[in-house]
Amino acid sequence: FQLKEMTDTLFEYSLVSGKTEETYTLEKISVADILVSIEDTQMADLISDGWQIEKSFAAESVEKYIDVDMDFFCRVLDNLVSNIRKYADKSHKLIFTATIKDNCFRLSVSNTVLQSEMLEGSTGVGLKTCQKIILDMKGSFKTERTGDTFCVTILEPLCPEE
């Protein structure tokens, strides 16, 4: 487990530093499939570990598509879950929100952060890696901290309707 964590960290450092160029295989993926994947993997894992989750997935999301490399998109989601486990306050709900707005799929995850003294040791490379991956897939990745609330928002442009 420690070896995997170290190799993942090394990969993230190399990805963020720009020394390696990743090849993304973008494919048209249904937003509905992405939301089911999030519920079945990331959210299910968190719930089984005792986290409380509030979700709001807009109904109009399900008939839309985005171009992403699903392996890398899942890597981003897994990294966010890893950060939640390390830095979020388990006594507060996690909020997952998915909407369609301005011709984009918008996924937000917000949580209450632990006391600041518990956040020491974070290099921030995980979030930088997530940002680079999403940007490379023509999306945007934003983090925002307001008081004790931390929110990550991923925007991916919708595929043109046929």
Side-chain angles (χ1 to χ4, degrees):
F1 178 74
Q2 288 175 335
L3 184 59
K4 182 193 177 313
E5 192 170 299
M6 288 182 347
T7 55
D8 285 349
T9 300
L10 181 62
F11 170 78
E12 290 174 355
Y13 276 118
S14 66
L15 185 64
V16 170
S17 71
K19 303 279 190 263
T20 60
E21 198 60 41
E22 283 300 322
T23 303
Y24 298 96
T25 306
L26 301 181
E27 54 186 312
K28 186 177 179 178
I29 305 285
S30 155
V31 170
D33 290 344
I34 290 171
L35 296 177
V36 166
S37 175
I38 290 168
E39 285 185 281
D40 289 349
T41 53
Q42 288 82 15
M43 289 173 66
D45 287 346
L46 289 165
I47 290 169
S48 71
D49 285 344
W51 293 87
Q52 295 178 21
I53 294 179
E54 178 181 314
K55 72 170 184 157
S56 174
F57 292 168
E60 72 271 9
S61 306
V62 298
E63 297 176 6
K64 305 296 182 180
Y65 294 84
I66 58 175
D67 281 324
V68 292
D69 182 311
M70 198 58 184
D71 290 335
F72 279 94
F73 196 80
C74 287
R75 181 183 295 251
V76 168
L77 296 173
D78 289 343
N79 186 295
L80 295 179
V81 168
S82 174
N83 282 352
I84 286 169
R85 285 192 168 112
K86 291 178 193 172
Y87 307 118
D89 186 340
K90 199 172 189 177
S91 67
H92 291 81
K93 286 184 182 179
L94 304 172
I95 301 170
F96 285 73
T97 307
T99 58
I100 300 295
K101 185 175 181 184
D102 299 329
N103 209 33
C104 286
F105 167 61
R106 176 187 181 107
L107 176 67
S108 295
V109 181
S110 54
N111 60 268
T112 302
V113 295
L114 291 169
Q115 298 301 321
S116 59
E117 63 269 8
M118 298 182 78
L119 301 178
E120 291 178 17
S122 172
T123 61
V125 73
L127 291 175
K128 289 177 185 165
T129 301
C130 292
Q131 182 178 40
K132 181 175 185 331
I133 290 170
I134 296 299
L135 289 174
D136 287 349
M137 292 191 295
K138 310 300 183 228
S140 69
F141 183 92
K142 182 176 86 166
T143 61
E144 183 178 4
R145 172 115 186 232
T146 307
D148 63 352
T149 301
F150 183 77
C151 183
V152 171
T153 302
I154 298 169
L155 289 165
E156 283 290 338
L158 296 176
C159 294
E161 293 187 20
E162 298 173 358

